[in-house]
Amino acid sequence: MNARCVSSEANPNQQSFPVSYLINKCGFSLGSALSASKRLTFEIPDQPDAVIHMFKRYGFCDADIFRLIKRYPRVLSCNPDKTLLPRLEFFYSKGMSNTDIAHILCGCPLLLGRSLQNHVTPNFNLLSDLLLSDNKVISAARNDPFILFRHGDRYLKPFINLLQDHGVPRTQIASLICNWPRSIGVCLNHFRKCVEEVREKGYDPSSAVFIRAVVVLSQLGKAGWERKTIVYKSWGWSEKDILVAFRKNPWSLMTSESKIMAVMKFFVEKMDCESLYLAKHPNLLMYSLEKRLIPRALVLHFLLRNKLIDKKPNLNTLFVYSEKLFLEKFVNCFDEAPQLLKLYRDQSDLAK
């Protein structure tokens, strides 16, 4: 990385060697370098240069290396052969790519300070036994690198035991940890309340949607749930309607308030729907207005206006169809296909 210019008042040559190194080699500001250097003791470039060289040997790009250093400056004081090499070799032995390792270590550089033998390896093996796949452990760690950092026995097992006590099957617990590991990064008592509330809402613990509902509630919290319900109620939904939508698609409660308002307005004003239509089909709340809903609606209105179809099709089907199937059913089968395709593509391109 190119050295940065500093004023004569803050000339790095007048500072300690670690400060100078962090500024000139790693792009730190003076203030950041002064703060980070308090725990660095090297006086010549050999040690930090060897660390950087080790990461480059294992395929790390400059951007990842310097991002890691900025998040965890003490890595420059690590012994490359005794500290870094065994960890890198371990991660590679489990099937991680260069990109995986860089992503995980930049996300949780504190892993470099954990014992490989007493912590990182047992944690990885615990997760592998649960998920039945090293690749799924890697996916979980990419989604939340801290899952390898926290103590598995004290942190992970209580969540697993809680879910098992409520009748959640092992496969669904594995799905939670692999896809949404941050959901079990919350307080155990908060997580317990979410699980109990989802059961009270009528979900079957053995179903896949049960875990999704727990994830949503754990991330939303009580205040978030209340904000969403206020928006839905402003469109005439009852508590029962909200629960119906939540049971069908828990992610509908994760949609932002502004997005809910915009999609509701679109269906009520442009598609001539009752607002409760979306309670029955909450998946429609998840689609992009600009990239999916509006372009397809324009095609539909063209077809109706020009009497190319006799009646409005099922809207849920219209919007759920894959791109290929939508074009087959509503664009390419008509003589006006070029005009329809242009109408559809032009609107879609505007959203990019």
Side-chain angles (χ1 to χ4, degrees), residues 22-63:
L22 291 171
I23 292 173
N24 294 327
K25 185 78 173 183
C26 305
F28 278 56
S29 66
L30 175 60
S32 297
L34 287 170
S35 177
S37 68
K38 293 177 182 178
R39 297 185 180 182
L40 300 177
T41 57
F42 53 82
E43 294 298 332
I44 57 175
D46 296 20
Q47 165 73 29
D49 282 352
V51 168
I52 292 174
H53 178 68
M54 175 68 72
F55 283 123
K56 286 186 175 181
R57 266 181 54 200
Y58 278 82
F60 282 49
C61 67
D62 285 346

Side-chain angles (χ1 to χ4, degrees), residues 112-127:
L112 293 170
R114 286 292 203 199
S115 167
L116 179 61
Q117 181 178 356
N118 298 323
H119 186 93
V120 178
T121 300
N123 260 13
F124 194 101
N125 291 340
L126 172 66
L127 287 165

Side-chain angles (χ1 to χ4, degrees), residues 184-229:
I184 54 175
V186 298
C187 167
L188 180 61
N189 285 335
H190 171 68
F191 189 80
R192 179 181 290 108
K193 289 178 182 177
C194 293
V195 172
E196 292 170 351
E197 188 172 347
V198 169
R199 290 205 67 169
E200 290 171 2
K201 293 183 186 300
Y203 284 89
D204 178 2
S206 66
S207 68
V209 75
F210 182 90
I211 283 297
R212 297 190 192 108
V214 171
V215 171
V216 169
L217 281 188
S218 69
Q219 294 182 10
L220 269 183
K222 184 176 180 180
W225 176 274
E226 290 177 351
R227 286 197 306 271
K228 309 294 182 178
T229 57

Side-chain angles (χ1 to χ4, degrees), residues 73-133:
R74 278 186 290 175
V75 70
L76 292 174
S77 292
C78 289
N79 184 306
D81 294 320
K82 292 183 179 180
T83 302
L84 299 183
L85 182 61
R87 286 160 177 76
L88 293 173
E89 289 287 345
F90 172 78
F91 289 138
Y92 274 112
S93 74
K94 296 299 182 180
M96 291 189 188
S97 66
N98 297 341
T99 304
D100 292 330
I101 298 174
H103 178 87
I104 291 167
L105 290 182
C106 286
C108 183
L110 294 174
L111 272 171
L112 293 170
R114 286 292 203 199
S115 167
L116 179 61
Q117 181 178 356
N118 298 323
H119 186 93
V120 178
T121 300
N123 260 13
F124 194 101
N125 291 340
L126 172 66
L127 287 165
S128 186
D129 289 343
L130 177 66
L131 301 180
L132 304 178
S133 164

